[in-house]
Amino acid sequence: NRFNDGEINIQIQESLRGCHVYILKSVSTPVNDNLVELLLLISAAKRASAASVTAVLPYYPYSRNTHKPEGKRVPISAADVAKMMEAMGVTRVVSVDLHCAQIQGFFGPRCPVDNLYAAPTAASYFHSKDLVRPAVVSPDAAGVARAKLFCEGLTFAHDTPSLAVCFSIGESLNLVGDVTDCDCIIVDDLVDSGRTLCNAANHLKDMGAMRIFGFCTHALFSSQSTAAELIEQSALDELLIANTVQLPPGTRERTRKIRMCSVGKLLADSIKAIQSGTSVSGLFSTNLGAAVS
């Protein structure tokens, strides 16, 4: 609960002495409140003599601030969040589709980080779509490695997915790859305003693509009305998102193109693997077949 001034008051009702504790919390909107709550939960568990504390974070906060641009007086926020979690005593971190893989290096060797991929949860969904000449597309140059990994995870009986990349030069979009008469899947880890995703979808349609799908792990939709309207008006046929963050209220009323898959089994299997001391990497190549709503 909270004090009258809004401060979070945490009290754990069970004994944690000698226990291996897993704190499952997605640090999304309101980000700062959820981050403080996470830090206090870790602290409370350690002060209660827990043997270990694993933070399971479907969405890692401040993940877009991973470096200091030359000449700018800014924090490296993703690293600072890592230091705060380590200072509270976290012993392991599990997250899904980190915006930047280098975040794993912000934690010291005493706190390993498992970066899970949501792509296996989406594989069965796209297999059910009977895609014709499937093409996996990165909406920007920074996401090529992610799109390539997703492409390698899709297997079709008659077609091998191709890879394409959208990138901008000034105000214009350009495409590397051929999507003519292809069913396309735009793959990104994070959608906020929706402009990058929708611009890429519209450009693919102009370049001769047939059906256009999107797959995004973290649907932040900070400007939910704008993002939903952009998606509804775009060339996207459907956008599949993971439930790593809570979808803003009213989003599905503004657009009927959104589908959601669950990463629950992915996280549950990762916790089982960690607790039993087995490999987590085996989850990367598993078709988890998550239910889609």
Side-chain angles (χ1 to χ4, degrees):
N1 56 21
R2 293 176 181 268
F3 293 107
N4 292 334
D5 62 354
E7 292 177 353
I8 299 168
N9 181 26
I10 290 175
Q11 184 176 358
I12 299 173
Q13 303 294 332
E14 304 286 338
S15 173
L16 300 182
R17 184 174 298 275
C19 295
H20 297 284
V21 177
Y22 295 85
I23 298 174
L24 175 59
K25 188 166 185 61
S26 188
V27 191
S28 56
T29 306
V31 176
N32 296 328
D33 283 359
N34 283 323
L35 177 57
V36 171
E37 186 172 322
L38 171 66
L39 295 173
L40 295 179
L41 281 168
I42 296 170
S43 174
K46 290 298 289 184
R47 293 175 189 273
S49 301
S52 68
V53 179
T54 299
V56 183
L57 311 178
Y59 174 67
Y60 187 95
Y62 289 97
S63 58
R64 286 173 280 188
N65 294 36
T66 57
H67 67 285
K68 184 176 180 180
E70 188 174 351
K72 300 292 185 181
R73 301 179 183 89
V74 297
I76 304 177
S77 305
D80 296 334
V81 169
K83 297 303 179 188
M84 286 189 283
M85 291 173 63
E86 283 189 306
M88 292 298 101
V90 74
T91 50
R92 192 182 195 100
V93 173
V94 177
S95 193
V96 180
D97 279 329
L98 289 171
H99 185 62
C100 186
Q102 75 188 58
I103 292 173
Q104 296 170 87
F106 293 156
F107 292 84
R110 289 180 295 180
C111 181
V113 178
D114 294 303
N115 182 24
L116 306 178
Y117 300 113
T121 65
S124 60
Y125 174 79
F126 289 112
H127 284 147
S128 71
K129 290 298 179 180
D130 297 324
L131 301 180
V132 177
R133 298 187 62 201
V136 176
V137 183
S138 172
D140 51 40
V144 174
R146 184 180 301 107
K148 184 175 183 293
L149 187 67
F150 186 88
C151 185
E152 292 171 349
L154 285 178
T155 54
F156 296 94
H158 305 292
D159 290 303
T160 300
S162 59
L163 184 66
V165 183
C166 286
F167 64 96
S168 58
I169 299 178
E171 296 296 323
S172 63
L173 269 178
N174 296 269
L175 180 69
V176 175
D178 183 16
V179 297
T180 304
D181 297 328
C182 292
D183 287 336
C184 297
I185 306 171
I186 303 173
V187 177
D188 208 352
D189 69 312
L190 187 152
V191 172
D192 197 342
S193 68
R195 290 187 180 87
T196 300
L197 174 69
C198 293
N199 287 342
N202 295 336
H203 187 63
L204 292 175
K205 181 62 74 173
D206 293 339
M207 299 303 292
M210 296 175 63
R211 293 182 296 170
I212 302 173
F213 300 91
F215 173 60
C216 163
T217 307
H218 312 297
L220 301 184
F221 292 172
S222 300
S223 303
Q224 62 264 33
S225 59
T226 304
E229 289 166 2
L230 281 175
I231 290 167
E232 182 65 26
Q233 296 166 9
S234 73
L236 278 170
D237 289 278
E238 288 181 359
L239 172 63
L240 179 65
I241 62 174
N243 62 344
T244 56
V245 299
Q246 186 175 358
L247 200 62
T251 300
R252 285 194 159 179
E253 283 70 33
R254 296 185 179 94
T255 176
R256 299 181 180 180
K257 295 183 178 182
I258 291 178
R259 305 290 183 270
M260 182 181 291
C261 65
S262 173
V263 294
K265 188 176 188 307
L266 175 67
L267 295 175
D269 288 348
S270 69
I271 292 173
K272 289 178 183 177
I274 292 168
Q275 188 63 28
S276 62
T278 57
S279 174
V280 176
S281 61
L283 300 174
F284 299 161
S285 58
T286 302
N287 185 347
L288 297 173
V292 174
S293 59

